Amino acid sequence: MAHELLVLGAGYAGLSAARRAAHHARRSGTGLRVTLVNATDTFVERVRLHEVAAGRGTAVHPLSDSLDPSVGLVVGRVESVDADARTVDVRTGDRVRTLRYDTLVYALGSAAAVDAVPGAAEHAATLAGLDGARTLARRIAEERPRTLTVVGGGLTGLEAATELAEAHPGPHVRLVTSGPVGAGLSPRGRAHVLRVLDRMGVAVREHTRVAAVEADHLKLEDGDLLESDLTVWNAGFTVSPLAADAGLTVDGDGRALVDGTQRSLSHPDVYVVGDAAHADAADGSALRMSCAMGLPMGTAAADALAARLAGREPDATPFGYMNQCVSLGRRDGLIQFVRADDSPGRSILTGRLAARYKEMIVASAYGGLRGPGGQGQAAGYLWAVRAAARRFLRRAA
């Protein structure tokens, strides 16, 4: 009898897990059968959604371009997971299907934490999903706001503020953050980001907390009011409660606790990957939500399952970071080289070279998820871009 692997979610982590599992099934002939469940029949390059919001791209691709013909695709929304019965209820139109699994890969990702303050869900736009990015682009075109405020000074907020300011020079763009802008960057990296924001005319308010979002302004915790015709909410992410509801052991944010092979600590027949997983880095800290971690998590989970089905002990080597890549509009960027624990090093790339580097990284991420040979093409992109970075660093030394 075939071993039924059910993968929930076709983001970077889920799609990489499904593809890798199908690869193992072809090579081993073990009878592993892979089914992928996703709300749509498309893959969204989430790291490009700030471009979509600025009216500069689509970031959407048919899943058929990425999936092996052996992988079954069920288009529908996951309504519940019964970890004891090993079943998942999926709504497809007016019908609910119950799917059975022997092993589950849970990869349902994250969403914008719009419930963090009153009014954010009702009045703010978000970039955590395709619909939100498209809605933001439409609102900018139709409403022609005079003031546009991006809340959140992390990497996503930086990309959103600079992309929108460059694409739409009309509105006054403001970036509001509860801490410093680019808190995880080195002093040199942060200085470059601040110079770019100033050059683009983006006003920055650091160490400022938002208490509420209204249709035409923000209320701050200190009582001040900031005019904002259109607010973009990037202050944190949240995950679906389905993992916790299924009885999986989760952290305080609802992310499932996993071991070094991405397997749930409470349910050995469930692997959790991507933003929904609380996985530990080499230093014991939780890996941050990112495409950079989602892709290797998905691959690692599929490799671990294949090893266990073959009677081998899977690899549990902790993941390490290489860099943080930030686009600052289409002609500038920042590549912050980091240590394995994600702490910033001294070396950075900036300007057009950094913009090209970031584009190659993004292209390679999707290139590695496309059809046969995608991994080879992605490796070629990465090799060229890293070679250029090494040449730059040697000149700068």
Side-chain angles (χ1 to χ4, degrees):
M1 178 179 288
H3 187 99
E4 298 286 349
L5 172 63
L6 189 61
V7 181
L8 307 183
Y12 288 101
L15 186 53
S16 65
R19 283 175 52 86
R20 187 72 167 182
H23 168 76
H24 284 300
R26 287 196 309 272
R27 291 189 61 184
S28 65
T30 55
L32 177 66
R33 187 156 56 198
V34 184
T35 301
L36 177 64
V37 179
N38 197 53
T40 69
D41 62 356
T42 58
F43 169 75
V44 176
E45 292 184 272
R46 193 172 183 182
V47 293
R48 290 194 189 275
L49 289 181
H50 59 288
E51 299 174 30
V52 175
R56 289 175 154 176
T58 59
V60 183
H61 310 277
L63 278 173
S64 57
D65 288 351
S66 297
L67 289 180
D68 185 281
S70 66
V71 177
L73 176 62
V74 175
V75 178
R77 295 192 176 275
V78 178
E79 291 203 334
S80 64
V81 177
D82 189 329
D84 295 325
R86 295 184 183 178
T87 59
V88 175
D89 285 347
V90 179
R91 178 168 294 280
T92 56
D94 296 330
R95 175 169 161 249
V96 175
R97 296 178 58 182
T98 298
L99 306 178
R100 190 192 69 80
Y101 65 84
D102 296 303
T103 299
L104 180 72
V105 174
Y106 183 101
L108 291 181
S110 62
V114 291
D115 294 330
V117 302
E122 293 81 7
H123 302 298
T126 70
L127 291 176
L130 180 62
D131 289 343
R134 285 174 168 171
T135 297
L136 177 54
R138 177 184 55 77
R139 289 187 62 183
I140 292 174
E142 293 178 356
E143 298 174 16
R144 300 186 179 277
R146 294 172 301 165
T147 56
L148 196 159
T149 304
V150 177
V151 180
L155 304 188
T156 303
L158 289 174
E159 293 193 324
T162 52
E163 195 80 32
L164 292 170
E166 185 180 84
H168 301 286
H172 173 61
V173 179
R174 182 191 297 113
L175 180 64
V176 175
T177 175
S178 61
V181 167
L185 302 174
S186 66
R188 292 179 66 208
R190 191 172 121 77
H192 178 72
V193 165
L194 290 172
R195 283 194 297 270
V196 173
L197 290 170
D198 181 65
R199 172 170 56 80
M200 290 187 170
V202 178
V204 176
R205 286 197 59 156
E206 297 181 296
H207 309 288
T208 301
R209 291 189 173 274
V210 176
V213 179
E214 300 293 343
D216 58 359
H217 69 272
L218 301 177
K219 182 177 181 181
L220 307 181
E221 284 194 349
D222 62 9
D224 282 356
L225 300 180
L226 283 182
E227 179 186 357
S228 182
D229 294 327
L230 182 53
T231 299
V232 184
W233 192 261
N234 283 297
F237 295 90
T238 187
V239 299
S240 167
L242 288 176
D245 291 346
L248 273 64
T249 300
V250 300
D251 65 11
D253 296 322
R255 300 168 72 187
L257 300 179
V258 297
D259 66 13
T261 67
Q262 299 302 127
R263 187 161 66 167
S264 165
L265 295 186
S266 57
H267 291 73
D269 52 353
V270 178
Y271 292 77
V272 187
V273 296
D275 291 356
H278 178 127
D280 289 337
D283 64 353
S285 63
L287 295 171
R288 59 180 163 88
M289 296 180 179
S290 66
C291 164
M293 288 297 105
L295 283 164
M297 279 183 183
T299 299
D303 288 349
L305 173 60
R308 288 185 169 112
L309 290 177
R312 302 190 309 272
E313 188 64 25
D315 180 29
T317 304
F319 300 116
Y321 295 92
M322 291 178 54
N323 49 48
Q324 296 180 15
C325 304
V326 190
S327 63
L328 302 171
R330 295 296 85 204
R331 296 180 294 276
D332 207 330
L334 171 69
I335 308 303
Q336 173 70 67
F337 293 95
V338 299
R339 304 178 183 91
D341 65 358
D342 206 28
S343 61
R346 185 175 181 277
S347 298
I348 61 173
L349 297 181
T350 61
R352 289 184 180 272
L353 179 58
R356 290 197 296 269
Y357 187 110
K358 169 65 187 299
E359 175 57 31
M360 290 295 185
I361 291 291
V362 172
S364 69
Y366 176 58
L369 295 172
R370 282 197 67 196
Q375 293 286 3
Q377 184 182 35
Y381 281 143
L382 286 174
W383 182 89
V385 117
R386 287 170 182 165
R390 286 195 295 271
R391 288 195 298 272
F392 178 90
L393 291 173
R394 281 198 297 269
R395 290 197 303 268

